[in-house]
Amino acid sequence: SVPAGSGGSTLKTLYLREEQTQNTGSQTLTTLTWNVRTLNTKTENGLTTTLSSNTFTLPAGTFLIDATCPGTTTNRTQARFYNTTDSAVVLTGSNAFSDTTALPTAVSRIVGSFVIAGTKTFRIEQNAQTTGNGGYACNFTTEVYTQVFITQIA
């Protein structure tokens, strides 16, 4: 856990991400569809979750989230943080643009706070104006694409 200050309390954190083996690209992002982003790796530091089929659970509390979702050759792209328990968008990510001719990667970032009264299940989704992918492989080491950092503050 991370020290929260002089009060002796600790912050509980969770780091989720999409990892692929070296030289393996991310998923296809289909045109004008809320594509569920792959999440297959977790690191828990006091905040315990169940990660299954790209969804994860959180207990009751107040949280901060900082998530990044790459999109390559998608033209316009945007991510969102989605509550599958209540079928509701929690937070919407920033607008991003990735030209389809130059093969650049753009990142939609989801940043904010949210409160839940009981255990809920969530996922990260991303939309694309044109079919592209969730990131190209670098071929240096393990490939990392979508990343989600969550901190429980109360």
Side-chain angles (χ1 to χ4, degrees):
S1 295
V2 179
S6 60
S9 65
T10 56
L11 296 176
K12 297 175 182 179
T13 61
L14 174 65
Y15 173 39
L16 305 167
R17 63 200 170 278
E18 176 191 358
E19 281 188 4
Q20 300 295 342
T21 57
Q22 184 174 347
N23 205 28
T24 302
S26 186
Q27 70 194 79
T28 297
L29 298 177
T30 304
T31 302
L32 302 178
T33 300
W34 286 107
N35 300 273
V36 177
R37 288 306 308 247
T38 299
L39 294 172
N40 56 18
T41 306
K42 68 178 178 177
T43 303
E44 300 168 332
N45 192 4
L47 183 53
T48 303
T49 187
T50 300
L51 175 62
S52 176
S53 301
N54 306 313
T55 65
F56 57 95
T57 58
L58 292 173
T62 302
F63 300 87
L64 301 175
I65 185 171
D66 188 347
T68 56
C69 301
T72 303
T73 65
T74 58
N75 282 325
R76 293 174 182 91
T77 187
Q78 189 174 46
R80 68 184 185 183
F81 180 47
Y82 191 78
N83 176 335
T84 62
T85 303
D86 299 330
S87 299
V89 176
V90 179
L91 293 165
T92 301
S94 60
N95 299 341
F97 184 82
S98 170
D99 187 356
T100 59
T101 59
L103 303 180
T105 297
V107 175
S108 178
R109 186 172 178 197
I110 304 165
V111 178
S113 63
F114 61 99
V115 177
I116 51 175
T119 300
K120 305 282 183 180
T121 302
F122 299 91
R123 67 185 182 209
I124 302 294
E125 299 178 339
Q126 188 170 3
N127 211 326
Q129 181 184 13
T130 58
T131 296
N133 66 55
Y136 280 130
C138 289
N139 198 21
F140 298 129
T141 185
T142 300
E143 310 292 349
V144 179
Y145 300 103
T146 297
Q147 299 184 79
V148 182
F149 298 90
I150 297 176
T151 303
Q152 186 173 14
I153 58 173

